[in-house]
């Protein structure tokens, strides 16, 4: 590993420990989990801010959906998407600070899962329903983060909730329920591509952070076991 790579790795670990170490320094297993949670929160914050920048830069202005003050100016779907992205970045960053100052790992995880679930479900409802919406594929996010950050029971619970929600939305769609659609159909392909890239990056980054932190914990554990074995061996006379 090059010196630059080592420095980048150490900087990232120091950033994780800034939020996680204070509350969990005496609990190795919880420190491992807290580092994963902080990594996911900060990565999500950076991702949604980047996406909001791309949205505003790549997509031209659209007709306003909500008129402000009775004038011709208002908020378009692109404006709403960018605002939601910035708000999500603030929420994810705030959750990292809550973890740092309270150490309430379970509550922060629950708030993260709930935020993902509510935001994705809300966007599905206002972008044409589960069949037409580009956002439907992102319903898998709370399931993956629940499995990675908590345990199999929590993952199954959130997966069941997401499945029931999707089943309800599909049932409404099949019965002819008219979902509200605030999207601009002229940018349907571009929006689908953007959502697909976002979903891919969010899932991939979550798994990378989980696996890399888990691997670091295993290396530390193996080193400690070897040290204990060495100390337990009798000194040769």
């Amino acid at each position: 590993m090059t010196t630059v790579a080592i420095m980048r790795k150490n900087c990232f670990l120091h950033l994780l420990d800034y939020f996680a170490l204070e509350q969990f320094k005496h609990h190795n297993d919880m420190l491992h989990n807290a580092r994963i949670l902080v990594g996911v929160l900060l990565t999500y914050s950076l991702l949604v801010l980047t996406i909001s920048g791309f949205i505003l830069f790549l997509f031209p202005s659209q007709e306003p959906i909500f008129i402000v003050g009775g004038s011709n100016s208002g908020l378009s779907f692109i404006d709403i998407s960018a605002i939601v992205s910035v708000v999500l970045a603030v929420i994810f960053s705030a959750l990292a600070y809550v973890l740092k100052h309270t150490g309430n790992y379970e509550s922060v995880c629950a708030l993260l899962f709930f935020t993902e679930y509510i935001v994705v479900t809300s966007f599905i409802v206002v972008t044409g329903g589960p069949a037409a919406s580009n956002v439907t594929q992102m319903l898998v996010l709370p399931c993956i983060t629940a499995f990675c950050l908590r345990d199999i029971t929590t993952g199954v619970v959130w997966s069941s909730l997401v499945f029931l929600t999707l089943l309800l939305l599909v049932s409404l769609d099949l019965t002819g329920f008219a979902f509200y659609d605030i999207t601009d159909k002229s940018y349907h392909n571009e929006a689908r591509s953007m959502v697909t890239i976002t979903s891919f990056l969010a899932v991939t980054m979550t798994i990378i952070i989980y696996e890399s932190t888990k691997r670091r914990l295993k290396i530390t554990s193996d080193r400690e076991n070897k040290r204990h074995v060495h100390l337990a061996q009798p000194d040769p006379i």
Side-chain angles (χ1 to χ4, degrees), residues 128-214:
S133 177
N134 299 321
V135 190
T136 305
Q137 58 187 294
M138 297 189 74
L139 266 177
V140 72
L141 280 180
C143 306
I144 293 176
T145 50
F147 277 113
C148 290
L149 297 176
R150 290 301 307 274
D151 49 37
I152 189 169
T153 302
T154 306
V156 169
V157 169
W158 276 97
S159 297
S160 301
L161 176 61
V162 168
F163 176 74
L164 291 175
T165 302
L166 187 58
L167 195 62
L168 174 62
L169 293 174
V170 170
S171 300
L172 290 173
D173 208 4
L174 293 177
T175 56
F177 181 81
F179 287 94
Y180 192 61
D181 192 355
I182 63 176
T183 58
D184 189 338
K185 296 303 179 184
S186 60
Y187 299 104
H188 177 78
N189 292 333
E190 291 86 347
R192 180 178 293 275
S193 299
M194 184 68 69
V195 171
T196 300
I197 292 173
T198 304
S199 301
F200 173 80
L201 290 176
V203 172
T204 304
M205 289 177 178
T206 300
I207 295 174
I208 289 174
I209 293 170
Y210 173 77
E211 288 297 330
S212 60
T213 311
K214 180 180 177 182

Side-chain angles (χ1 to χ4, degrees), residues 14-199:
H14 285 317
L15 180 61
L16 298 184
D17 284 342
Y18 173 77
F19 292 96
L21 188 61
E22 180 178 348
Q23 296 290 338
F24 304 101
K25 57 186 175 183
H26 300 301
H27 307 279
N28 287 335
D29 290 341
M30 286 303 299
L31 178 59
H32 159 70
N33 293 333
R35 283 169 173 162
I36 297 175
L37 175 56
V38 171
V40 169
L41 289 171
L42 297 182
T43 301
Y44 281 7
S45 298
L46 180 61
L47 179 61
V48 294
L49 283 178
T50 303
I51 293 301
S52 66
F54 274 109
I55 288 174
L56 293 175
F57 179 76
L58 295 178
F59 296 98
S61 58
Q62 301 176 357
E63 291 296 324
I65 299 171
F66 301 107
I67 305 299
V68 179
S71 61
N72 292 327
S73 60
L75 296 175
S76 68
F77 176 68
I78 296 301
D79 298 328
I80 295 172
S81 299
I83 291 173
V84 170
S85 298
V86 173
V87 171
L88 283 176
V90 173
I91 291 174
F92 293 145
S93 300
L95 287 177
Y97 275 98
V98 170
L99 181 69
K100 172 179 171 61
H101 293 291
T102 67
N104 199 332
Y105 178 83
E106 291 79 8
S107 297
V108 172
C109 283
L111 287 172
L112 171 60
F113 307 151
F114 183 75
T115 301
E116 293 174 324
Y117 171 77
I118 288 297
V119 170
V120 175
T121 304
S122 300
F123 263 94
I124 292 174
V125 171
V126 299
T127 54
S133 177
N134 299 321
V135 190
T136 305
Q137 58 187 294
M138 297 189 74
L139 266 177
V140 72
L141 280 180
C143 306
I144 293 176
T145 50
F147 277 113
C148 290
L149 297 176
R150 290 301 307 274
D151 49 37
I152 189 169
T153 302
T154 306
V156 169
V157 169
W158 276 97
S159 297
S160 301
L161 176 61
V162 168
F163 176 74
L164 291 175
T165 302
L166 187 58
L167 195 62
L168 174 62
L169 293 174
V170 170
S171 300
L172 290 173
D173 208 4
L174 293 177
T175 56
F177 181 81
F179 287 94
Y180 192 61
D181 192 355
I182 63 176
T183 58
D184 189 338
K185 296 303 179 184
S186 60
Y187 299 104
H188 177 78
N189 292 333
E190 291 86 347
R192 180 178 293 275
S193 299
M194 184 68 69
V195 171
T196 300
I197 292 173
T198 304
S199 301

